[in-house]
């Protein structure tokens, strides 16, 4: 597929769009394997002289890729992205979500902005990186299962941390409209299961209705979120300047005439401070159990509220004081503040001791939606930045 010419088109734009079409064609929804895409990238980077390592997960159905181009004995820069995408229901799309389609200045397909567009730009730029002699190495890192909790990135971060000379900065290519992001919230996702006592609904006063108690817990979570909004703590560099908590999924009940004995739901807490988040979760659990459990167990001693952490990823701190950031600052684009969405930046920082920033093409407002798209000019802007970065890495 070729993009129509635009006034600001980059010389490698055609290649980037071709790579993007290839990447979009792999349905790497998080529930599926990403091995075919990883093999495709492995062969491509190896063909350009990169040293490539594939890091499979325990199941053997998923894998990460780490490729190095340039010398291994000096600190380098990570260009990082994830290979998985969120589900796409074709009924809600105007076109096939796994076939790249251009409409005017936009390229449509699942993952175009989140975040195969960045991967396509990196692939298009790699032949230019490989020409001439790099004085510092690039590390091309592509993970599995970011969308379901940053599950693949820790293995990459640990791999890099064990190198004789680890990288000095990671650039996470999440969609930021090519503005530099120097902070990101962390997240904790929890499953709550309420166990009550059921029976025929005509005897409901004698039962412990799990759905009703779940709704009361959800109300308490919502009230906690409103306190964050009103009381903080605040950091106005974030797109949402305070922590947030909300329920995202719920399931319970079996029939219209049965008092439900079980109800489960999932909620999340997005935090500015990861340590405060863990403390807040524990305080919330204590408050909820103190308010509701005695009441439930007076009716049925077997009643319970069960808590399960599904996943958590750390917040990404401010890397602007790191040595490599300061060296690169003259070629970095304008600052875009801090973001409330998640990325693997915190994982690289905590698990790999690698300062991280977010910088990538596309808008997060288009991510996770039907008819996801990326503006073609965003790809050109990303390629232009990679040109500047390449020139800096070769001097």
């Amino acid at each position: 597929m070729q993009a129509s010419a635009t006034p600001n088109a980059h010389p490698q734009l055609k290649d980037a769009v071709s790579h993007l079409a290839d990447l979009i064609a792999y349905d790497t929804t998080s529930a599926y394997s990403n091995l075919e895409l990883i093999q495709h990238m492995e062969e491509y980077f190896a063909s350009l002289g990169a040293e490539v390592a594939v890091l499979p997960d325990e199941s053997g159905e998923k894998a990460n890729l780490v490729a190095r181009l340039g010398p291994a004995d000096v600190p380098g820069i990570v260009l990082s992205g994830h290979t998985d995408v969120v589900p796409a229901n074709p009924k809600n799309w105007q076109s096939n979500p796994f076939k790249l389609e251009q409409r005017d200045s936009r390229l449509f397909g699942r993952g175009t902005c989140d975040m195969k567009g960045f991967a396509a730009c990196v692939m298009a730029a790699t032949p230019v990186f490989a020409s001439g002699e790099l004085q510092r190495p690039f590390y091309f890192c592509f993970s599995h299962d970011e969308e379901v909790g940053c599950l693949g990135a820790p293995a990459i971060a640990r791999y890099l941390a064990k190198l004789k000379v680890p990288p000095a900065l990671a650039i996470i290519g999440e969609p930021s409209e090519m503005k530099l992001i120097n902070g990101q919230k962390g997240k904790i996702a929890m499953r709550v299961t309420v166990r009550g006592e059921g029976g025929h609904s005509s005897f409901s006063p004698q039962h412990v209705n799990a759905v009703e108690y779940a709704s009361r817990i959800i109300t308490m979570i919502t009230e906690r979120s409103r306190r964050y909004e009103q009381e903080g703590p605040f950091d106005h560099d974030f797109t949402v300047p305070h922590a947030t908590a909300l329920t995202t999924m719920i399931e319970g009940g079996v029939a219209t005439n049965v008092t439900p004995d079980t109800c489960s739901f999932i909620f999340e807490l997005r935090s500015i401070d990861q340590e405060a988040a863990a403390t807040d979760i524990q305080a919330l659990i204590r408050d909820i159990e103190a308010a509701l459990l005695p009441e439930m167990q007076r009716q049925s001693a077997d009643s319970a509220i069960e808590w399960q952490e599904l996943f958590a990823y750390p917040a990404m701190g401010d890397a602007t004081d790191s040595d490599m950031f300061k060296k690169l600052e003259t070629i970095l684009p304008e600052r875009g503040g801090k973001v409330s969405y998640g990325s693997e930046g915190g994982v690289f920082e905590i698990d790999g001791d690698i300062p991280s920033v977010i910088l990538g093409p596309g808008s997060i407002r288009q991510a996770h939606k039907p008819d996801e798209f990326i503006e073609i000019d965003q790809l050109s802007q990303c390629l232009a930045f990679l040109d500047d970065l390449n020139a800096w890495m070769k001097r």
Side-chain angles (χ1 to χ4, degrees):
M1 179 177 184
Q2 298 183 13
S4 301
T6 64
N8 299 317
H10 187 278
Q12 273 79 53
L13 178 61
K14 179 180 175 181
D15 291 337
V17 174
S18 177
H19 285 300
L20 184 54
D22 290 341
L23 297 176
I24 294 299
Y26 293 100
D27 181 354
T28 51
T29 302
S30 303
Y32 306 147
S33 173
N34 72 335
L35 293 183
E36 289 186 3
L37 185 150
I38 289 294
Q39 182 179 2
H40 171 81
M41 299 179 89
E42 176 189 12
E43 293 172 355
Y44 179 75
F45 287 120
S47 73
L48 295 170
E51 182 178 295
V52 182
V54 174
L55 311 177
D57 74 345
E58 292 181 358
S59 73
E61 294 298 316
K62 305 284 185 76
N64 301 312
L65 180 139
V66 178
R68 190 196 81 248
L69 197 63
D73 58 352
V74 292
I77 291 176
V78 173
L79 298 176
S80 170
H82 60 81
T83 61
D84 63 317
V85 297
V86 298
N89 184 346
K91 293 180 181 179
N92 298 328
W93 286 63
Q94 296 183 46
S95 57
N96 184 340
F98 298 104
K99 183 176 181 181
L100 194 67
E101 178 172 301
Q102 180 176 350
R103 300 178 219 149
D104 299 321
S105 63
R106 296 171 173 176
L107 297 171
F108 290 80
R110 177 55 87 217
T112 45
C113 78
D114 187 16
M115 53 181 293
K116 292 179 177 179
F118 176 75
C121 288
V122 171
M123 293 176 76
T126 301
V128 183
F129 296 161
S131 65
E133 187 171 343
L134 289 166
Q135 300 302 306
R136 302 172 181 83
F138 281 111
Y139 291 89
F140 312 122
C141 299
F142 295 95
S143 67
H144 65 84
D145 288 330
E146 186 271 352
E147 296 289 5
V148 290
C150 296
L151 303 184
I156 296 178
R158 291 191 294 267
Y159 176 91
L160 296 174
K162 291 177 181 178
L163 296 176
K164 185 175 181 180
V165 182
L169 184 73
I171 297 174
I172 315 299
E174 289 281 357
S176 68
E177 300 179 76
M178 289 309 298
K179 295 178 181 178
L180 185 111
I181 304 300
N182 63 316
Q184 158 237 307
K185 290 182 180 178
K187 176 178 173 178
I188 300 175
M190 300 287 296
R191 182 189 302 277
V192 183
T193 302
V194 180
R195 302 199 183 278
E197 183 179 52
H200 197 287
S201 60
S202 63
F203 293 99
S204 60
Q206 302 172 18
H207 302 151
V208 178
N209 188 325
V211 168
E212 289 184 359
Y213 276 99
S215 72
R216 292 170 65 178
I217 298 171
I218 291 168
T219 298
M220 294 180 74
I221 293 168
T222 303
E223 289 171 350
R224 184 66 187 94
S225 189
R226 287 174 180 159
R227 291 203 302 275
Y228 285 132
E229 187 173 355
Q230 295 165 1
E231 302 170 8
F234 299 102
D235 183 339
H236 291 282
D237 287 339
F238 280 97
T239 49
V240 178
H242 51 79
T244 58
L246 79 155
T247 301
T248 54
M249 300 176 69
I250 187 167
E251 181 179 7
V254 294
T256 60
N257 60 352
V258 176
T259 302
D261 61 1
T262 305
C263 183
S264 66
F265 64 90
I266 294 171
F267 77 96
E268 67 169 34
L269 172 62
R270 292 182 184 263
S271 60
I272 295 170
D273 183 326
Q274 192 70 7
E275 290 185 7
T279 301
D280 286 358
I281 287 284
Q282 292 305 312
L284 187 62
I285 290 173
R286 287 195 301 271
D287 290 348
I288 289 170
E289 291 187 342
L292 300 181
L293 261 183
E295 180 181 324
M296 294 169 63
Q297 292 179 343
R298 278 196 298 270
Q299 188 74 17
S300 171
D302 293 331
S303 297
I305 304 172
E306 299 171 358
W307 309 85
Q308 177 192 5
E309 182 179 301
L310 297 178
F311 64 83
Y313 55 74
M316 183 185 79
D318 190 341
T320 56
D321 286 334
S322 67
D323 289 342
M324 184 63 81
F325 184 94
K326 291 177 180 178
K327 292 175 182 177
L328 282 175
E329 196 159 14
T330 56
I331 68 168
L332 293 172
E334 67 176 295
R335 304 281 180 91
K338 302 175 183 179
V339 293
S340 300
Y341 63 78
S343 86
E344 296 171 329
V347 176
F348 279 97
E349 180 184 324
I350 301 300
D351 289 16
D353 197 26
I354 303 170
S356 302
V357 296
I358 296 171
L359 176 61
S363 169
I364 193 64
R365 295 187 181 277
Q366 305 308 324
H368 299 192
K369 290 184 176 181
D371 293 318
E372 177 183 348
F373 68 83
I374 192 168
E375 295 282 352
I376 293 172
D377 184 60
Q378 285 284 301
L379 299 180
S380 284
Q381 289 185 43
C382 184
L383 290 164
F385 166 71
L386 293 174
D387 281 345
D388 292 342
L389 186 58
N390 176 54
W392 188 88
M393 298 283 274
K394 288 180 176 175
R395 67 185 193 194

